[in-house]
Amino acid sequence: MKKIINDPTQVVDDMLNGFVYMHDNLVERLEGYDVIVRKAKKTGKVGLISGGGSGHEPSHAGFVGEGMLSSAICGAVFTSPTPDQIFEAIKASDEGKGVFMVIKNYSGDIMNFEMAQEMAEMEGIAVSSVVVDDDIAVENSLYTQGRRGVAGTILVHKILGHAARSGKSLEEMKELAEKVVKNIKTIGLALSGATVPEVGKPGFVLEDDEFEYGVGIHGEPGYKKETLKPSYELAQELVTKIAEEFQMASGENYGILVNGLGATPLMEQYVFANDVAKLLSERGVNVTYKKIGDYMTSIDMAGLSLTLIKLDDSNWLEALNASVTTPAW
């Protein structure tokens, strides 16, 4: 294992301290907790929080700021944050109108966020939530009942962040969130495994000429391994799977997110995006929103994911295009 770190057991603490140092105009760390909160002036609106295990940077702390998240909770690498950490984030994010939580569909995340919600409600803070399950690769996986929450989560952050800034109530946020999540589908592929610093070796190993479809962001198994193919054929597989899920029809409006998993150069992401563009054009759909880069990674995993959001509501497109002030958007 070759990594630019100090003590593997302190990697999250060191990372968060470096993060707030580099972005101290936008965010700060709650003293004694692995929670990043925004410095933007409180405006008496619904707070928005998210979080999960570290190792997915810039998710989730990179999206804390004006127009997106009020705070993010950073668990140990690939490990759900604890209820007490989440509870502190709720308290720090409450501006009097309640707090909305974006939770990825992992059993530990759901359990701990729900426990924190109960703690907050005992102190009179109204809390609501949505569970993101955008990964269509497999129906059930390690750590999940049902589909995993992956890169589509950041689009949920963006749309809900805009809603919160616009003054939506907690109930309106819940209704919007449920609709948005149902219209986001993601599928990915990996060329290599991720190396957790404290473990010191990749979570799985692929042969030099091998890749795997549908691997999760913690290295969970996908649905098939094959010999590496040209980008166009990889794009065909992912676009076809997502199109089938949406029952995609000509004339519909979609947004796309090409997301790097940590060790895939932008050069390759753009090659893949070009292939996706051709395939969607052949299907006659309108791509009205596009984003590319590393947003929900898996430490040093080589690979990428494709997310499509069906933009049935023009307000969602407005929300995605709205300017925000965060470290990573």
Side-chain angles (χ1 to χ4, degrees), residues 103-242:
I103 311 168
K104 297 188 301 303
N105 189 30
Y106 298 99
S107 54
D109 284 20
I110 291 173
M111 178 178 66
N112 291 349
F113 273 85
E114 287 181 348
M115 289 176 64
Q117 176 174 345
E118 292 174 3
M119 294 163 68
E121 288 175 343
M122 288 175 64
E123 293 207 1
I125 303 173
V127 180
S128 188
S129 66
V130 70
V131 175
V132 183
D133 57 354
D134 57 310
D135 189 350
I136 67 168
V138 293
E139 188 58 40
N140 295 291
S141 186
L142 299 176
Y143 322 120
T144 68
Q145 291 183 334
R147 290 173 165 174
R148 305 171 293 214
V150 288
T153 307
I154 69 157
L155 302 181
V156 179
H157 293 164
K158 188 66 169 63
I159 293 173
L160 292 185
H162 182 70
R165 181 168 58 181
S166 300
K168 299 290 187 184
S169 68
L170 203 58
E171 293 75 17
E172 290 170 324
M173 294 273 287
K174 173 71 171 177
E175 182 180 359
L176 172 61
E178 296 288 356
K179 290 178 181 176
V180 169
V181 167
K182 290 176 183 176
N183 282 280
I184 298 177
K185 313 291 181 188
T186 301
I187 191 167
L189 58 90
L191 283 65
S192 72
T195 302
V196 175
E198 287 194 66
V199 177
K201 60 182 180 180
F204 63 89
V205 177
L206 296 169
E207 299 299 328
D208 288 345
D209 63 346
E210 191 177 41
F211 76 101
E212 185 168 358
Y213 284 118
V215 171
I217 57 174
H218 308 101
E220 304 97 325
Y223 61 89
K224 66 178 175 180
K225 296 179 184 178
E226 292 187 348
T227 301
L228 190 58
K229 300 176 177 180
S231 171
Y232 188 79
E233 293 181 45
L234 303 178
Q236 271 187 314
E237 171 85 9
L238 302 195
V239 169
T240 299
K241 290 278 189 185
I242 293 176

Side-chain angles (χ1 to χ4, degrees), residues 84-115:
D84 63 312
Q85 301 264 356
I86 301 166
F87 178 46
E88 292 300 321
I90 291 171
K91 291 193 292 183
S93 303
D94 179 39
E95 301 182 15
K97 293 294 178 64
V99 175
F100 195 87
M101 309 188 300
V102 179
I103 311 168
K104 297 188 301 303
N105 189 30
Y106 298 99
S107 54
D109 284 20
I110 291 173
M111 178 178 66
N112 291 349
F113 273 85
E114 287 181 348
M115 289 176 64

Side-chain angles (χ1 to χ4, degrees), residues 27-43:
V27 299
E28 59 190 354
R29 182 177 180 178
L30 285 186
E31 186 173 354
Y33 297 95
D34 295 339
V35 177
I36 303 298
V37 298
R38 67 186 179 196
K39 285 185 170 179
K41 181 181 177 182
K42 294 186 181 298
T43 56

Side-chain angles (χ1 to χ4, degrees), residues 4-26:
I4 301 172
I5 60 174
N6 297 306
D7 181 350
T9 66
Q10 296 296 312
V11 66
V12 172
D13 189 55
D14 288 350
M15 174 190 70
L16 293 181
N17 286 335
F19 181 83
V20 297
Y21 173 76
M22 295 302 294
H23 305 292
D24 59 4
N25 59 321
L26 301 177

